[in-house]
Amino acid sequence: MDGLDIEILSELVKDGRITVSDLAKKLGVPRTTLDSRMRKLVESGIIKRFTALIDYKKIGYQITAFVLVQIKRRKPEQEKSNQEIFIEEIAKESEVREDLPWVEEAHIITGDYDVLLKVRARDMDELTRFLITELARHPDVERTHTMMVLKSPYSSVAPLEKFSP
């Protein structure tokens, strides 16, 4: 990656809908050069996907919560850890079942807990069912700790200027 790649990423983070032509003009490079660079950024996995920032409350997700999950320690039965298997199962279920909150993010973490879930729920009943019923039916879940988001006064995307070549 060089300075142009950083500039491309910085501009895409600001406006992911900008056209290749407009971005090329803004950066002062030929359209073909920009198109080629963007293709390489996608193919190399640096750009994972193009997405939109959404106001989740406006589409019905009134509650955001972070759920810490402690997973039983045991030898993995597959190549994946118990944490990875749990995350795959719970994320898949949240995608296909309308009665469950949406698991927006899942991380394997250090400390007293093993997994951190970022969950978006339509209402308190939906979150309660998820915590009390859904998580409890997973055999590897030992305990959970839930933190409700009251307000989100700051959110950011990667400060790409810090990643200069």
Side-chain angles (χ1 to χ4, degrees):
M1 280 198 18
D2 62 12
L4 179 56
D5 291 329
I6 297 294
E7 286 184 81
I8 291 168
L9 294 174
S10 293
E11 292 301 322
L12 288 173
V13 165
K14 292 176 196 169
D15 180 6
R17 292 185 57 171
I18 192 169
T19 66
V20 174
S21 296
D22 289 344
L23 184 54
K25 286 178 196 171
K26 189 169 191 172
L27 298 179
V29 296
R31 185 188 184 292
T32 54
T33 300
L34 184 69
D35 192 47
S36 171
R37 290 291 190 106
M38 285 180 61
R39 191 175 312 109
K40 286 179 185 175
L41 290 168
V42 170
E43 289 170 357
S44 69
I46 293 170
I47 295 176
K48 291 183 176 184
R49 67 179 178 215
F50 294 88
T51 188
L53 292 176
I54 297 168
D55 183 337
Y56 291 100
K57 286 188 177 188
K58 290 184 179 178
I59 61 168
Y61 288 92
Q62 301 302 312
I63 297 173
T64 302
F66 290 91
V67 182
L68 292 164
V69 183
Q70 188 177 57
I71 303 292
K72 287 181 184 171
R73 301 284 183 190
R74 62 183 171 88
K75 184 178 177 184
E77 296 172 9
Q78 304 170 16
E79 291 181 15
K80 296 178 182 176
S81 68
N82 295 357
Q83 294 90 345
E84 290 171 296
I85 294 167
F86 165 76
I87 288 170
E88 287 175 0
E89 289 174 2
I90 203 73
K92 182 180 176 185
E93 289 169 14
S94 85
E95 286 177 9
V96 298
R97 289 185 42 198
E98 284 293 319
D99 63 322
L100 292 181
W102 170 43
V103 176
E104 182 179 1
E105 295 178 16
H107 307 275
I108 297 173
I109 59 172
T110 63
D112 292 338
Y113 291 88
D114 303 297
V115 173
L116 172 66
L117 303 174
K118 182 178 181 183
V119 177
R120 296 208 185 255
R122 291 172 188 89
D123 56 37
M124 190 58 104
D125 289 340
E126 185 177 77
L127 180 61
T128 301
R129 278 191 315 277
F130 177 73
L131 296 172
I132 293 174
T133 306
E134 197 58 34
L135 291 182
R137 71 176 199 81
H138 283 273
D140 286 341
V141 173
E142 288 195 326
R143 73 179 173 150
T144 64
H145 180 87
T146 303
M147 297 165 287
M148 304 281 294
V149 174
L150 300 175
K151 198 174 204 176
S152 298
Y154 178 77
S155 181
S156 180
V157 292
L160 294 172
E161 300 78 33
K162 294 189 181 272
F163 301 110
S164 57

